[in-house]
């Protein structure tokens, strides 16, 4: 076979492989996106939405510091953005919000917009689960039938579930009103190979997981497409029906479009 023919054949095979891989890529519901003030200079709302689209993210759960960032995206793509209300007016609220009545008033006022599907992402320690603002947010979540997105350890989440059994929490798979998003879980597929223990859990509880990327700093936006490709790679190692649930169907079920 002439060399030129071999080269053309190799290119044809490569293009076909790329096209096949693209065709196999799953649509993604990203359950952990932030578009905070520190991102705004580097990323216009239009560019942020473009980054998501290029990564095959068709819907995203977004919370931001301050909340204006979430609204910037939601106003431009209301069917593609699932807005959560973060109780941080600035990053300074991260460690004090649970005891700050002004934060409670901020959330209670903004949530009247009627667009929010949850409160969070918030950080909380086990010693603060009965703080007055946490109790007020539990009442809001119950009354409005919305979620919490909690960045907490397992001790704290168990206390939250015990104290507030009617609140649905986006965190982990172990309880009937608890779901996990997998942002920055490097142990799921170390070196690109799906961990056998994680695989077993995914197959056993396919309705309890969602993917997430967590754009907590601007550099995470810049690498979002590569991060999402790594997620697509380990999703491809699961049975297709399980992968589809984790990739997007669970998000669609929990947060149907308005």
């Amino acid at each position: 076979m002439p060399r030129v023919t071999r080269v053309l054949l190799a290119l044809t095979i490569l293009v076909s492989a790329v096209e096949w891989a693209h065709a196999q890529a799953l649509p993604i519901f990203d359950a952990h996106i932030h578009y905070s003030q520190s991102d705004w200079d580097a990323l216009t709302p239009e560019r942020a939405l473009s980054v998501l689209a290029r990564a095959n993210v068709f819907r995203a759960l977004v919370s931001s510091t301050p909340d204006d960032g979430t609204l910037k995206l939601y106003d431009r793509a209301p069917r593609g953005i699932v807005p959560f209300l973060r109780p941080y007016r600035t990053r300074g609220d991260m460690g004090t919000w649970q005891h700050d009545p002004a934060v409670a008033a901020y959330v209670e006022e903004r949530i009247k917009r009627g667009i929010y599907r949850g409160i969070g992402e918030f950080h909380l320690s086990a010693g603060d689960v009965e703080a007055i603002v946490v109790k007020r947010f539990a009442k809001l979540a119950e009354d409005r039938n919305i979620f919490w997105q909690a960045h907490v350890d397992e001790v704290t989440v168990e206390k939250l579930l015990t104290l507030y059994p009617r609140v649905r929490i986006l965190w982990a798979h172990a309880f009937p009103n608890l779901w996990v998003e997998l942002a920055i879980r490097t142990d799921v597929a170390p070196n690109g190979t799906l961990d056998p223990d994680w695989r077993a859990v995914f197959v056993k509880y396919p309705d309890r997981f969602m993917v997430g990327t967590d754009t907590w700093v601007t550099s995470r936006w810049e690498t979002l497409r590569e991060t999402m490709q790594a997620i697509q790679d380990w999703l491809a190692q699961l049975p297709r029906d399980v992968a589809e649930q984790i990739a997007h169907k669970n998000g669609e079920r929990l947060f149907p479009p308005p």
Side-chain angles (χ1 to χ4, degrees):
M1 181 184 297
R3 184 174 183 275
V4 172
T5 303
R6 291 199 304 271
V7 171
L8 289 174
L9 179 59
L11 287 173
T12 300
I13 293 172
L14 177 60
V15 169
S16 297
V18 171
E19 290 177 345
W20 180 87
H22 181 73
Q24 297 301 307
L26 291 163
I28 295 294
F29 182 109
D30 191 319
H32 199 140
I33 288 289
H34 303 299
Y35 182 59
S36 296
Q37 189 166 11
S38 56
D39 303 316
W40 300 349
D41 288 341
L43 290 163
T44 64
E46 290 77 14
R47 185 173 172 224
L49 292 169
S50 176
V51 170
L52 293 173
R54 291 199 306 272
N56 225 35
V57 176
F58 77 108
R59 292 187 75 210
L61 190 160
V62 180
S63 65
S64 307
T65 306
D67 179 56
D68 293 349
T70 298
L71 297 182
K72 288 173 186 286
L73 298 186
Y74 179 79
D75 287 346
R76 289 163 174 80
R79 291 190 63 82
I81 300 301
V82 178
F84 268 46
L85 179 50
R86 201 174 201 190
Y88 303 162
R89 299 158 299 179
T90 70
R91 286 187 64 84
D93 287 332
M94 186 179 294
T96 60
W97 67 268
Q98 58 271 37
H99 301 289
D100 189 342
V103 170
Y106 166 81
V107 168
E108 289 165 350
E109 181 60 32
R110 292 184 78 94
I111 211 163
K112 293 176 184 177
R113 295 171 183 265
I115 64 170
Y116 298 100
R117 311 297 288 274
I119 298 171
E121 178 202 17
F122 58 75
H123 300 72
L124 189 68
S125 66
D128 289 324
V129 295
E130 295 188 71
I132 185 62
V133 177
V134 179
K135 291 180 178 179
R136 286 168 70 168
F137 287 177
K139 182 70 164 55
L140 275 178
E142 291 176 10
D143 290 348
R144 292 178 174 268
N145 193 30
I146 59 177
F147 278 75
W148 279 354
Q149 187 177 35
H151 185 136
V152 297
D153 61 23
E154 59 271 22
V155 173
T156 306
V157 80
E158 289 197 30
K159 286 189 173 184
L160 289 173
L161 288 161
T162 300
L163 286 168
Y164 312 111
R166 295 175 58 194
V167 176
R168 295 180 296 168
I169 301 175
L170 183 55
W171 184 81
H173 68 276
F175 297 86
N177 60 329
L178 198 60
W179 288 262
V180 68
E181 50 86 1
L182 296 162
I184 318 186
R185 292 298 316 215
T186 57
D187 55 337
V188 170
N191 300 315
T193 301
L194 184 61
D195 178 82
D197 291 336
W198 273 108
R199 187 185 193 281
V201 172
F202 291 153
V203 170
K204 186 174 182 179
Y205 302 104
D207 62 334
R208 291 283 156 180
F209 293 91
M210 291 178 281
V211 300
T213 49
D214 192 358
T215 52
W216 67 281
V217 291
T218 305
S219 60
R220 295 283 297 172
W221 278 99
E222 295 166 352
T223 59
L224 189 143
R225 193 173 184 181
E226 292 79 6
T227 301
M228 197 56 72
Q229 184 56 59
I231 291 171
Q232 291 276 5
D233 290 345
W234 64 253
L235 284 171
Q237 299 170 49
L238 288 166
R240 184 74 178 188
D241 61 329
V242 174
E244 287 176 345
Q245 288 190 73
I246 295 170
H248 65 93
K249 288 186 176 179
N250 291 335
E252 285 292 277
R253 174 172 51 82
L254 292 173
F255 305 104

